[in-house]
Amino acid sequence: MTIPTDRLSDPAVRALVTAINAHDRAAFDAALTAGATMSDDGSDRNLTQWAEKEIFSSRGHLDVESESDGGLSLIARYRNDTWGEMLTAWRFDVTDGRVSRFETGQA
């Protein structure tokens, strides 16, 4: 059973996941701090390039199955047109109400 995006506990994480699922680049950027960083499967990536490839040009989508750590850690089914669907883990750092870093990878 998935958790509806609008029921995610942390407002910054909720805003970012909502933007991802809507493919809304402006909302995605607004949910992040200036200079936000990320990693995928343990390797730091260029966030802008990664988001274009993994979210926007490939129609990425998150279905959150569980959350922990006050909503800063998620287990979600992530799918896009490039890789299909996989079970993923996400960990978020939030600064001043926006996501300053996220780490994702296969769960």
Side-chain angles (χ1 to χ4, degrees):
M1 181 128 170
T2 61
I3 300 171
T5 304
D6 64 356
R7 306 269 320 262
L8 294 174
S9 298
D10 186 274
V13 172
R14 184 170 56 241
L16 191 67
V17 172
T18 298
I20 290 169
N21 288 349
H23 309 118
D24 185 335
R25 191 181 315 265
F28 180 82
D29 291 343
L32 298 168
T33 63
T37 62
M38 61 87 53
S39 71
D40 186 0
D41 284 329
S43 297
D44 278 6
R45 309 283 183 177
N46 176 296
L47 193 152
T48 302
Q49 292 173 353
W50 183 90
E52 175 57 33
K53 180 179 177 188
E54 301 294 338
I55 298 169
F56 299 112
S57 68
S58 62
R59 299 182 327 141
H61 188 89
L62 276 166
D63 289 318
V64 178
E65 294 195 346
S66 65
E67 63 176 358
S68 57
D69 193 22
L72 296 177
S73 294
L74 306 178
I75 298 295
R77 294 210 167 274
Y78 186 75
R79 68 181 179 274
N80 67 24
D81 291 345
T82 303
W83 305 109
E85 182 175 284
M86 65 191 80
L87 191 62
T88 56
W90 297 72
R91 170 84 180 112
F92 301 88
D93 294 332
V94 174
T95 304
D96 296 328
R98 296 180 4 195
V99 174
S100 55
R101 179 171 176 81
F102 65 91
E103 298 173 358
T104 185
Q106 293 193 48

